[in-house]
Every structure is written in structure tokens, then in C-alpha cells.
Amino acid sequence: MTTEPTPHTSPTALPGYAATGRIDELRATEYRHLDTDGQVYLDYAGAGVVAQAQVREHHDRLLAGLYSNPHSENPTSAAAGSLVQTARRAVLDFFRADPAEYAVVFTPNASGACRLVGEAYDFGRAAPLVLTWDNHNSVNGIREYARSAGASVRYVPLSGPELRVAESDLVTALDAGLVRRWGRPGRRGLLAYPAQSNFSGVQHPLSWVELAHQHGYDVLLDAAAFAPTNRLDLSVVRPDFVCLSWYKLFGYPTGVGALLARRDALARLRRPWFAGGTIRAVSVQGDWHRPMDDESAFEDGTLNFLSIPDVEFGLRWLDSIGVDLVHARVGLLTEWLLERLAMLRHNTGGPLVQVYGPTTQTGRGGTVTFNLRHPDGTLVDERLVAREAAAAGFSLRTGCFCNPGAGEGAFGISRTSTRRRLLAGVDTIDKYLAALRLPTGGAVRVSFGLASTATDAQRFVAFAQSTYLNRAVGTESPLPPRLRC
């Protein structure tokens, strides 16, 4: 007779946790502001947290020198331009990307990086777009550029309760796109997918990059949710485009992201407009322009030259801690949280928590999405959880997280029910949910990151247990309307 393993009362009891102790040391020093007023930060998928060393570095740099628009030619301009170029090299070094193969385009965020590719990619009848259901809306939006160019757009569905993509379905979609391609030779399609889901935490295989290349596709890899706690080595995995937001990795600076692009793929993009800083020469009367020959052709206007140097420091800071160390700590906290949530059951025997996505640590990151259930099995409205969690000092995320495909897969929404004609006259999110006959409009998302500790995870489990376990459906005060998804 076998016995069930004894659950760990604390993440600190998990094998390997003690080896991540440096995170606790940093939390007590560089990240001690996270514990102000008893708050608990659990929204690392939304934004990373800034270390005090990053703030000091920014402050000291600005007061020690003078920097101006890099487009000018003077000493202060040269100083700013030099720091920007140093930051580019730091990005390539961090991701182990060969400078001869990859270029760094600074953007406002990962969404801006996606837009650059979408607006300039050579879509057409012979160059389709393939997307996974599991994608952030900033990636989903690329379909509008593809369709306006006459390209076919195909989605690869999610399958099973773990909300993964079957590789056979991906291959079918890639092949279907190829069947419909005709026209001039040498055109390629584009596959866009996330390395890690911002909804479920599922990590989709990086091997799909080479698989897509073999099928004649370029690949846009959304690494915004993956890179903060996982090593992305571009000397091993070679997507054509990688989209990033730096505040997701290390909290600061905001308003700066990047498109890492293979130089041959970047050269194939054709921008629909030009702006200051992107052109070598232009004529009004002659009605012509010549774009820059390097990555600056994609950097509209003046770069955020006072914040881009903070990217270099942030990367050095993260590297000094160790991405692998952060990965280990986040994995242990996620494993423990999933284990504890699965144990919470009402006196009726029903589960308190319904997790969307993998219920073990295998093949997933540190993002856990779920809904809470009443003893009778009905769902607790995620807006109520948001209100009560905020009152208790928890910063977490509720809603659908700008990922409608993963939400549709998680909630079992059929394609038929989302047809436009069935939703005619629906002009609010709440009416949309009613039309779909959904009991709630989203879920609750808890995510761990660089400065997360065992106490953060334990306090959340204690809150969920004390607040919702065996709590009958009651008459709550009115909840605010849902404004967006």
C-alpha cells in the first residue's frame, strides 16, 4: 500500500529552497520597500519590481553628466548616443545573440515591437499569418495588418485542461498556409506565439522556432512573460523577431521595450511611413526618401535616451543575481502554491480553487490563474476577489489579462457562440458575458518573480482560505461594471 506524500507546510521546506536564499537577502535590502504597510506583491506578470540600486544608478548618472538628443552632433549628444549603443550591446550579450546576426531596436514596449513587425511585414496571399489561441492582444492585433494585405490568418487551438497547443495542430496550420501560397517565389509566412502564456503560465516549446523555419515561416516570439524568469539563449534558439518590455524583467525603466530581430529578417520589413531619425535623406519636392540602413530606421523620433541606459544596468543587475536562481525560486513557489491550492476543499467536499492550465510545475512558469468557488460550486465573482484582496493588501490581477484566446479555451467558449451576428447589439463586457452565458468575466492571476518569497505565497494561501473557504453565497454590495478585456 502506497501513502500520499506529506504536503509541505511552507515553501522553505521544499528541496532546493535554501539554495535560493540570496533572494531573501535582496528582499530585506534592495527590495525592502515591497513590505511597506504589510503589502504583498503578486503581479510580476504585470510588471517587475525595481531595486533601490536601480534608482540610485539612474539618479547618480543624471547628476554626474549632461546628455542631450542623440540626433544632434555635440558633446552632450555624443554622450547620450554612446550610452544608447552600450545598452544595445548589453542586450545582445544578455541574450547571447551574435551582433552580426541580431539587431536591437528600442521601442516603447513589447506592444510597440509587435506593431513594428505587423505594419512592415510583407503579408499577402502567398505570405500567411499563423497564431496560437494563446496570445496577448498585442500579438493578436497583427492579424489586422495581415488581413488588410490579403493574407490568410489561421489560429491554432488550445487543447485539454492544461491549455497547451498540440504540435500536430500547429503543423496542420503551417501546412495549410503553405497550400494556399502562390505568387512570387521566396515569400514567407509568419508564426507568432508566446514563449510563456501571460494567462496560464504554460511554456510553449522553443523548438517550434526551428519547426516553423523548416515549414517556410519566420517566427515572432513574444518573450515578455518568459524572459523575466527564464534564460532565452539566442545562440541556441533563433527566432526572427523577439518582443520584450524591460519593466517586465526588472521593474524599471517603464516606457522602454525592444525588438530583437535577425538582421536578414529586419531587412525584409518595409515600413509604411517614416519619421524623424529613421531616414538618411528626404525630399519634399522630389517626393522621395531613403531610410537608414540599420536598426535606427525603426526607431521613430528621439529615443528615450535618459532611460535606455537604465536597461544596461538592469540587465547587469539581473545577471548578477542570476536568471537561473530566479527561475529556481519562482519554480519552487509555484510548485508549493499549486500544491496548497489543490488541498483547499469546502466541508461539502468541493474544491475551493479551479486552476486554469497546468496543475503541476512541469512545463510552466510562475503565473497561476484560477477562480474560487463557493461551497455549492458556483464561481466567486473575480471583481469581488479583486476588491477584497486589495483591501487585504494584495496586489494581484483579475480579468482576462488581454488574452482572449486562452480565456475562451479555459472557459470552454465555442466558436459558434462568439459569432458576430449572435452578439449584435452587445455593447458592454457584462452584456457580452450574459450573451455567452458565462458565470463570471475572467479569473484571478497570481504571479511570482525576482523578489518573491515564501511569505508572499503563504500569506496569499492564508487569505484565500480564511476569506473564501466554506463561505456561502451572500448578498454583496454592488460590484463595478467590467470595462474592458
Side-chain angles (χ1 to χ4, degrees):
M1 185 173 110
T2 60
T3 59
E4 292 294 323
T6 303
H8 300 93
T9 58
S10 169
T12 59
L14 290 170
Y17 189 89
T20 66
R22 183 160 184 240
I23 301 293
D24 299 309
E25 297 171 3
L26 290 167
R27 176 64 172 263
T29 53
E30 290 291 340
Y31 296 98
R32 60 182 181 271
H33 50 286
L34 268 65
D35 298 309
T36 301
D37 300 325
Q39 298 183 74
V40 181
Y41 188 77
L42 294 170
D43 192 21
Y44 286 85
V49 294
V50 62
Q52 294 186 19
Q54 293 172 265
V55 178
R56 290 192 299 269
E57 168 69 16
H58 179 83
H59 172 273
D60 293 347
R61 174 169 43 81
L62 291 190
L63 295 185
L66 184 60
Y67 309 97
S68 67
N69 193 324
H71 294 159
S72 300
E73 294 189 14
N74 58 55
T76 54
S77 170
S82 176
L83 291 178
V84 169
Q85 294 309 316
T86 300
R88 288 192 208 276
R89 290 193 294 271
V91 172
L92 294 173
D93 288 345
F94 183 83
F95 291 102
R96 301 173 183 172
D98 183 350
E101 183 179 9
Y102 278 93
V104 178
V105 178
F106 286 114
T107 64
N109 43 39
S111 298
C114 293
R115 179 186 58 78
L116 279 178
V117 176
E119 71 178 10
Y121 195 82
D122 189 21
F123 289 115
R125 291 185 176 181
L129 173 65
V130 174
L131 301 156
T132 51
W133 276 20
D134 188 0
N135 261 315
H136 192 279
N137 274 336
S138 296
V139 179
N140 285 323
I142 295 174
R143 72 188 190 191
E144 302 306 307
Y145 290 114
R147 284 177 175 152
S148 68
S152 66
V153 176
R154 301 185 69 86
Y155 271 101
V156 188
L158 298 175
S159 60
E162 291 203 347
L163 303 179
R164 299 189 187 275
V165 174
E167 188 167 299
S168 58
D169 289 339
L170 174 62
V171 170
T172 296
L174 295 174
D175 286 342
L178 286 170
V179 168
R180 289 178 170 80
R181 293 162 72 178
W182 64 87
R184 67 181 187 272
R187 296 189 73 182
R188 304 169 66 86
L190 181 67
L191 167 67
Y193 78 97
Q196 178 175 309
S197 173
N198 76 308
F199 184 100
S200 65
V202 164
Q203 291 183 341
H204 300 292
L206 296 178
S207 60
W208 289 353
V209 173
E210 180 57 28
L211 176 67
H213 286 164
Q214 293 172 359
H215 283 74
Y217 284 77
D218 294 319
V219 178
L220 183 150
L221 185 70
D222 177 7
F226 180 84
T229 59
N230 300 273
R231 174 66 67 182
L232 178 60
D233 188 339
L234 295 183
S235 70
V236 177
V237 180
R238 292 184 167 90
D240 302 274
F241 308 102
V242 180
C243 301
L244 297 160
S245 283
W246 299 117
Y247 73 93
K248 294 285 182 76
L249 272 81
F250 34 75
Y252 184 83
T254 57
V256 182
L259 173 67
L260 277 62
R262 291 177 67 164
R263 293 185 182 277
D264 58 346
L266 196 65
R268 294 197 298 272
L269 299 183
R270 294 292 179 266
R271 300 202 67 190
W273 83 311
F274 61 88
T278 67
I279 51 172
R280 187 174 301 279
V282 61
S283 173
V284 173
Q285 297 183 79
D287 194 23
W288 58 265
H289 72 279
R290 179 182 171 183
M292 297 292 287
D293 298 324
D294 59 11
E295 55 266 35
S296 62
F298 296 85
E299 294 172 337
D300 298 330
T302 301
L303 287 172
N304 189 343
F305 59 90
L306 292 182
S307 292
I308 286 175
D310 296 313
V311 173
E312 181 201 358
F313 184 83
L315 291 171
R316 285 195 282 116
W317 176 255
L318 181 55
D319 213 25
S320 71
I321 298 168
V323 175
D324 293 336
L325 183 68
V326 175
H327 175 84
R329 166 60 66 94
V330 167
L332 290 166
L333 294 178
T334 305
E335 176 186 346
W336 184 85
L337 178 66
L338 289 167
E339 176 187 275
R340 299 301 294 187
L341 292 180
M343 293 174 58
L344 298 178
R345 290 188 169 271
H346 298 289
N347 290 340
T348 60
L352 172 65
V353 180
Q354 177 179 348
V355 172
Y356 301 111
T359 55
T360 69
Q361 183 52 22
T362 303
R364 61 136 56 243
T367 297
V368 180
T369 293
F370 55 91
N371 269 316
L372 299 168
R373 290 190 176 275
H374 293 291
D376 65 1
T378 58
L379 294 182
V380 179
D381 195 299
E382 85 283 354
R383 292 170 298 175
L384 179 63
V385 178
R387 184 167 70 190
E388 295 181 336
F394 291 89
S395 291
L396 44 75
R397 182 79 178 264
T398 58
C400 61
F401 325 126
C402 300
N403 190 329
E408 289 171 11
F411 306 141
I413 301 173
S414 69
R415 181 176 181 178
T416 301
S417 64
T418 59
R419 293 186 186 278
R420 290 184 183 181
R421 61 182 177 81
L422 298 178
L423 300 175
V426 172
D427 56 2
T428 69
I429 293 295
D430 290 315
K431 288 182 180 179
Y432 176 70
L433 297 175
L436 295 177
R437 298 180 181 178
L438 290 180
T440 188
V444 181
R445 186 181 75 185
V446 166
S447 51
F448 299 113
L450 191 157
S452 293
T453 65
T455 301
D456 296 335
Q458 289 174 288
R459 287 185 59 185
F460 177 75
V461 170
F463 162 76
Q465 183 171 352
S466 64
T467 307
Y468 300 104
L469 193 64
N470 298 314
R471 173 176 164 178
V473 179
T475 303
E476 312 293 348
S477 58
L479 295 168
R482 299 177 177 92
L483 299 177
R484 60 184 177 182
C485 185

